[in-house]
Amino acid sequence: MLANYHTHTIRCQHAKGEDRAYVEEAIRNGMKVLGFADHCPWVYDDGFVSGTRMTPSQLDEYFTSLEALKKEYARDITLYIGFESEYIPEQMAAQDRLLADYPVDYMILGQHFLEREPHSAYTGFPTDRPEELIRYVDLCIEGMESGRYLYVAHPDLLHFTGDPAIYDAQYLRLCRYLKEKNIPVEINLLGVVEGRHYTSERFLNLAAKAGNSVIIGCDAHTPDRLSYTEGHETCRRMAEQAGLPIVDFLPGFGPAL
């Protein structure tokens, strides 16, 4: 892998390892680009505190740490600083105000919920309800239409266990939209190597039908995932078997060297 745009930090409360360890592991693996996209904080007007993302109070330290590493390792690797976030329409204005003074390079869309926390179940839980899959695809498309995100992380995250024809129709709808916008679909290394339901061969076959390209995202919650060559090759083989071309660098976010 020459680049990874899906890297987390300990601030999300479910990752391990210091920021520097992620950078050094990426360099050790020969990467040219490393993008940090930790789970973006939300502003909750009722005081709710999420257990799966950084808090607004950690933003200063997040950028201070990563900007220092960006300068220190500038001769070895290009670092970008961003976020992974859901698209929850009623929350976006507050998020924009929160991030307005920070130098955010990019965001990726990770639709873990259909509504704001804690009013929605995690989309990775099994569901046979077609309306939830339809809502998920709608939100992904609306989010990408907003122009906020570079791509959709783990696009088949919603674990639909109902009618296979509905699965195919809705996920093909998403793939065709992404193809129209020339946005690659992500093969998610974390899901693949941990045996989760994503990224599935069924979804990749739909992506092939739509003519998509793919990007491999480590979804790294520990530094070693950035140098996990066996896992990287597994994801690459999945792309090749489905006949999907692999994108190494996202447009505008390649190596600065």
Side-chain angles (χ1 to χ4, degrees), residues 89-128:
E90 64 273 19
Q91 293 284 109
M92 306 319 298
Q95 188 181 79
D96 285 345
R97 290 191 295 270
L98 176 67
L99 301 178
D101 295 328
Y102 294 97
V104 180
D105 290 322
Y106 72 99
M107 298 181 78
I108 58 176
L109 176 63
Q111 200 67 41
H112 303 90
F113 303 98
L114 301 181
E115 301 177 62
R116 58 145 286 187
E117 295 171 90
H119 306 312
S120 170
Y122 170 54
T123 51
F125 292 154
T127 178
D128 61 0

Side-chain angles (χ1 to χ4, degrees), residues 165 168-169 171-173 175-176 179 185 201-213 242-245:
D168 289 352
Y171 274 129
L172 184 58
R173 178 165 70 97
C175 289
R176 284 176 169 160
K179 170 61 178 178
V185 300
E201 292 182 5
R202 185 185 190 100
F203 177 81
L204 292 181
N205 288 333
L206 294 172
K209 186 174 182 179
N212 295 115
S213 58
L244 296 164

Side-chain angles (χ1 to χ4, degrees), residues 31 52 54 57 61 65 97 104 110 124 146 172-173 193 209:
M31 287 187 181
T52 62
M54 72 170 73
S57 64
E61 194 270 333
S65 171
R97 290 191 295 270
V104 180
S146 74
L172 184 58
R173 178 165 70 97
V193 302
K209 186 174 182 179

Side-chain angles (χ1 to χ4, degrees), residues 9-72:
T9 77
I10 57 174
R11 299 168 189 84
C12 73
Q13 306 180 63
H14 58 281
K16 299 178 180 178
E18 297 301 316
D19 298 343
R20 181 181 299 275
Y22 285 90
V23 176
E24 292 182 347
E25 201 70 22
I27 294 170
R28 189 175 299 116
N29 193 51
M31 287 187 181
K32 303 301 181 184
V33 170
L34 182 64
F36 282 90
D38 208 359
H39 294 282
C40 192
W42 291 107
V43 177
Y44 297 105
D45 55 12
D46 59 0
F48 173 76
V49 178
S50 172
T52 62
R53 63 188 70 245
M54 72 170 73
T55 63
S57 64
Q58 293 176 298
L59 283 170
D60 285 353
E61 194 270 333
Y62 180 63
F63 281 94
T64 298
S65 171
L66 296 182
E67 287 181 323
L69 291 169
K70 184 175 184 177
K71 293 177 182 178
E72 181 179 348

Side-chain angles (χ1 to χ4, degrees), residues 103-166:
V104 180
D105 290 322
Y106 72 99
M107 298 181 78
I108 58 176
L109 176 63
Q111 200 67 41
H112 303 90
F113 303 98
L114 301 181
E115 301 177 62
R116 58 145 286 187
E117 295 171 90
H119 306 312
S120 170
Y122 170 54
T123 51
F125 292 154
T127 178
D128 61 0
R129 299 176 62 188
E131 62 270 25
E132 293 188 1
L133 178 58
I134 293 168
R135 178 60 175 161
Y136 173 84
V137 173
D138 285 346
L139 284 171
C140 287
I141 292 174
E142 289 174 23
M144 296 309 297
E145 279 290 292
S146 74
R148 304 171 70 92
Y149 311 99
L150 289 183
Y151 74 81
V152 182
H154 34 60
D156 57 338
L157 177 63
L158 191 130
H159 192 185
F160 185 68
T161 58
D163 186 343
I166 295 174

